[in-house]
Amino acid sequence: MTTRPAESGQSRLPSMRTIGELRAALTLGYGFAGDADDFEAELAREINHADPADLSGVVRLVEEFRGRVIARQDPSFDSAVAAAVAEIRSARENDR
């Protein structure tokens, strides 16, 4: 199991003011597994298909991955996911 950056003593949220800083945060493991590669692939796809006058797809992508970093570093994120999974499992068991 890899150590999350917040657990390794690094600051809780890295600076993500630029695409370069977001890339660095993802590369350092601040997001979810595979986020760094996914971001690069999706960014390339957005740039390659974007109208130079409309980079809203790139903006949307950057906002999405910033949000993923923020969610992953939230100390209550894992417990909220676990609670939701338990609730879904319970509902499925009750439906049987």
Side-chain angles (χ1 to χ4, degrees):
M1 184 167 131
T2 59
T3 303
R4 288 173 47 188
E7 296 169 349
S8 65
Q10 294 178 4
S11 66
R12 195 156 152 133
L13 282 176
S15 177
M16 296 182 286
R17 293 178 306 241
T18 67
I19 290 175
E21 289 176 343
L22 177 57
R23 278 180 163 148
L26 293 169
T27 300
L28 291 171
Y30 278 92
F32 295 92
D35 272 359
D37 292 336
D38 291 347
F39 177 74
E40 291 302 326
E42 291 182 38
L43 180 62
R45 192 169 27 257
E46 285 294 337
I47 290 171
N48 289 335
H49 294 98
D51 177 332
D54 179 13
L55 296 176
S56 59
V58 173
V59 171
R60 177 205 50 79
L61 183 68
V62 168
E63 289 172 349
E64 176 186 337
F65 277 86
R66 277 185 184 148
R68 293 176 64 83
V69 169
I70 292 166
R72 187 66 181 125
Q73 296 308 307
D74 183 339
S76 62
F77 180 81
D78 288 332
S79 60
V81 170
V85 168
E87 187 177 321
I88 290 168
R89 286 182 177 154
S90 176
R92 286 181 178 167
E93 289 295 319
N94 290 336
D95 287 344
R96 289 183 183 173

